[in-house]
């Protein structure tokens, strides 16, 4: 939630503030040959935990507002979570990878997908919910990423954010695994670092949990 002294890009109101909930997840990566079927083929055991957590909050906000939600997925990848979120309202989903967006449109239809960098996205909308699922560790400027997100959240809106926990990174995440992801940036944070980053950039953290897998 934006503090009472928000950053220049934040949006606040005397009648509401932007709340935020985060998941800080440490996981064992599955080998590429460990295929799954059905629901787990799309989400896997760790993402299934995220799905339950995300849907619980989306359901609560949807009931509170008593209308379909406006949702922004700020780095949607191949669209798994963006597509799921359409059960609760309209979803705008962006990612800078044209390959990911093409895959999302084919495999996870429903959201309005757009191929654009998160730092360049603009919208006149105010979103009730913003999703950031395993994105912030891959961006070059995490503080700017959060300020950009805050710009698009309506007063009283909610940011759902997940990222890996740096504390257990060496245990589960070898340099070989890191290289295999082809991600140019892997800037994981400790829970305390994530909380501090959020607060410094105008958010009030309503919940932060770490789950070890």
């Amino acid at each position: 939630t934006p503090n009472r002294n928000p950053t220049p890009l934040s949006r606040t109101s005397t009648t509401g503030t932007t709340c935020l909930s985060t998941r800080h997840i440490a996981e064992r990566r599955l080998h590429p040959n460990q295929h799954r079927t059905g629901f787990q083929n799309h989400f896997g055991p760790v993402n299934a935990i995220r799905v339950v957590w995300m849907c619980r909050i989306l359901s609560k906000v949807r009931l509170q507002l008593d209308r379909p939600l406006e949702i922004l997925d700020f780095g949607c990848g191949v669209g798994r979570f963006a597509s799921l979120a359409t059960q609760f309202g309209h979803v705008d989903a962006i990612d800078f990878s044209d390959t990911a967006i093409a895959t999302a449109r084919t495999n996870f239809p429903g959201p309005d997908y757009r191929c654009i960098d998160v730092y360049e996205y603009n919208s006149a909308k105010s979103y009730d919910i913003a999703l950031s699922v395993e994105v912030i560790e891959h961006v070059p400027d995490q503080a700017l990423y959060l300020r950009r997100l805050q710009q698009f959240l309506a007063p009283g809106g909610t940011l759902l954010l997940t990222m890996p926990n740096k504390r257990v990174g060496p245990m589960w995440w070898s340099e070989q695994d890191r290289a295999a992801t082809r991600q140019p940036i892997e800037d994981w944070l400790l829970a305390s670092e994530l909380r501090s980053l959020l607060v410094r950039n105008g958010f009030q953290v309503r919940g932060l949990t770490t789950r070890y897998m």
Side-chain angles (χ1 to χ4, degrees):
T1 305
N3 292 327
R4 292 303 181 182
N5 296 312
T7 62
L9 290 177
S10 67
R11 312 187 81 183
T12 58
S13 167
T14 57
T15 59
T17 55
T18 304
C19 64
L20 175 136
S21 183
T22 65
R23 298 284 290 192
H24 209 221
I25 298 177
E27 62 194 77
R28 181 186 295 275
R29 303 286 174 165
L30 296 178
H31 188 276
N33 292 330
Q34 290 180 270
H35 298 298
R36 297 178 180 272
T37 60
F39 179 84
Q40 287 191 348
N41 185 51
H42 288 317
F43 291 101
V46 174
N47 277 332
I49 295 169
R50 296 188 184 110
V51 167
V52 172
W53 165 75
M54 185 178 79
C55 287
R56 184 177 69 248
I57 296 174
L58 288 172
S59 297
K60 180 179 179 180
V61 176
R62 173 67 175 82
L63 288 172
Q64 288 174 340
L65 296 182
D66 194 26
R67 60 167 172 78
L69 303 177
E70 288 291 340
I71 302 168
L72 173 64
D73 192 334
F74 213 51
C76 65
V78 297
R80 293 183 181 91
F81 292 95
S83 181
L84 183 70
T86 58
Q87 299 176 68
F88 304 93
H90 176 267
V91 180
D92 290 327
I94 69 170
D95 199 279
F96 82 129
S97 168
D98 53 358
T99 301
I101 290 296
T103 301
R105 287 172 174 156
T106 300
N107 295 339
F108 297 97
D112 286 335
Y113 291 109
R114 183 177 175 189
C115 184
I116 190 171
D117 193 293
V118 293
Y119 297 115
E120 299 175 358
Y121 178 73
N122 283 295
S123 175
K125 287 185 180 181
S126 292
Y127 293 93
D128 304 303
I129 298 282
L131 305 178
S132 177
V133 182
E134 309 297 286
V135 178
I136 194 170
E137 68 271 20
H138 302 310
V139 300
D141 189 332
Q142 295 177 335
L144 179 58
Y145 174 83
L146 289 174
R147 293 197 300 272
R148 290 283 292 159
L149 264 174
Q150 194 183 81
Q151 179 182 8
F152 302 119
L153 277 170
T158 302
L159 167 62
L160 306 181
L161 181 152
T162 76
M163 75 175 304
N165 190 332
K166 185 171 75 174
R167 184 176 300 280
V168 295
M171 185 186 308
W172 304 120
W173 192 243
S174 69
E175 288 301 319
Q176 183 178 2
D177 292 333
R178 186 184 299 261
T181 68
R182 298 186 178 89
Q183 291 281 5
I185 300 172
E186 285 284 356
D187 189 8
W188 297 11
L189 301 177
L190 299 173
S192 58
E193 293 172 331
L194 177 58
R195 180 184 294 275
S196 177
L197 178 68
L198 291 163
V199 171
R200 289 199 312 271
N201 287 281
F203 286 94
Q204 179 182 338
V205 180
R206 293 290 180 85
L208 193 156
T209 61
T210 293
R211 179 180 296 273
Y212 297 91
M213 298 294 293

